[in-house]
Amino acid sequence: MPLCPPDPRRCPRLSYACETNGACRAFGRIGVDPSVTTRKRVALGFAGLGVVALALNIYAACALSSVDSVIKNTAWAVGRIRGPVHGHVGTGRHAYFGLSAVVAFRHTGPGATSSAEEVKWSHIDCEEFTVPRDDDADLERRSRDVSRCKRCKRRVRGMATTVIVSAVTTLGTIRFDLRRATVESDARFWKFLGIAVGCISFGTAIGPLLAFRQHCTRSATDGIHMRNGPGFICLSVAVCLKGLSVLMHLWLRVPDVSDDDDGKAPDEEESKSRDEEESK
């Protein structure tokens, strides 16, 4: 399974550094030590939530596609064009923001087939993706719209990386949840990694999500009014589900198994064995 380091308990020196020293023991005792059945149900339940988060994450990542219908169904922002806006996408009545392109659909009438027009983000000219050029009555308003468009383009480029990193870290979240399902497989090392990966996954995604919402879906211009799309909503839910796994790892105490045998550093154990051999 990806993102699964080797069990540190198999190496004596690594075991002392990651499992049996005083700091690791104190960290492992944080939380509640439930029954075997409860432990398994809780860990497997959160692993199931991780699978749901992964599915939502993959759905949101489909917005990286360049297919019109896929972008429409997985758009991160959906907008209604409210006037004759210059530029390629200005001919449509509804715009769908994917992570690679913008698709505009124009409805010509009841029962008529919608025509789609796609423009890559890199080809969008924010000078045209605003109020008409012949609107000289309010140049300040036009300049403000151009600035909003440019900020949104920067956020979209960043979200393409965020959605991929989020999917990768979700695999680690699922793996560490499964590791803690039984007393035999649980370890302080898995508790630490589960919390660390969960915090990193949540922290690296929540910031870009809030920035995207501020600069793309809440920053309406005179030419287009935006709202959250299904792709944005799915990744937001997935990030929150992964954040809950951190609470599970904190709540679940690591069972004190073989502490008496592993409590000493490897050097002390080797020294003791040599003393016993010399005394014989």
Side-chain angles (χ1 to χ4, degrees), residues 14 95 101 145 160 181 191 196 230 234 248-249:
L14 186 60
D145 288 350
K191 180 184 179 80
C234 285
M248 185 275 290
H249 287 291

Side-chain angles (χ1 to χ4, degrees), residues 55-79 95-103 105 118 121 156 159 163 209 212 217 226-236:
L56 293 174
N57 205 137
I58 293 174
Y59 181 87
C62 289
L64 292 167
S65 172
S66 58
V67 180
D68 295 347
S69 59
V70 176
I71 294 177
K72 180 180 179 181
N73 293 326
T74 62
W76 279 57
V78 180
Y96 299 87
F97 285 16
L99 297 181
S100 63
V102 177
V103 176
F105 284 85
E118 177 184 326
W121 275 105
V156 168
M159 288 310 305
V163 71
L209 280 172
F212 180 90
T217 60
M226 305 303 301
R227 60 181 173 84
N228 294 330
F232 175 86
I233 295 173
C234 285
L235 188 64
S236 300

Side-chain angles (χ1 to χ4, degrees), residues 177-241:
D177 289 347
L178 293 175
R179 279 286 190 175
R180 306 208 60 201
T182 63
V183 174
E184 294 77 12
S185 63
D186 198 2
R188 302 178 184 95
F189 187 55
W190 305 132
K191 180 184 179 80
F192 170 76
L193 284 182
I195 294 175
V197 171
C199 290
I200 292 173
S201 178
F202 182 83
T204 56
I206 193 66
L209 280 172
L210 293 176
F212 180 90
R213 184 170 184 267
Q214 177 182 358
H215 296 298
C216 292
T217 60
R218 297 186 64 185
S219 184
T221 68
D222 284 346
I224 187 170
H225 179 73
M226 305 303 301
R227 60 181 173 84
N228 294 330
F232 175 86
I233 295 173
C234 285
L235 188 64
S236 300
V237 174
V239 170
C240 292
L241 291 178

Side-chain angles (χ1 to χ4, degrees), residues 99-165:
L99 297 181
S100 63
V102 177
V103 176
F105 284 85
R106 182 180 182 181
H107 303 279
T108 56
T113 303
S114 300
S115 59
E117 190 172 359
E118 177 184 326
V119 182
K120 297 289 185 181
W121 275 105
S122 58
H123 297 162
I124 289 180
D125 183 1
C126 287
E127 296 290 339
E128 296 179 345
F129 198 64
T130 52
V131 294
R133 290 184 180 275
D134 55 0
D135 186 3
D136 297 329
D138 194 346
L139 295 179
E140 181 180 355
R141 180 181 60 185
R142 169 172 161 73
S143 176
R144 185 172 61 249
D145 288 350
V146 171
S147 177
R148 290 172 177 172
C149 173
K150 291 180 178 179
R151 287 196 298 267
C152 182
K153 286 183 65 176
R154 289 195 297 268
R155 299 306 176 187
V156 168
R157 287 196 296 267
M159 288 310 305
T161 302
T162 299
V163 71
I164 295 175
V165 173

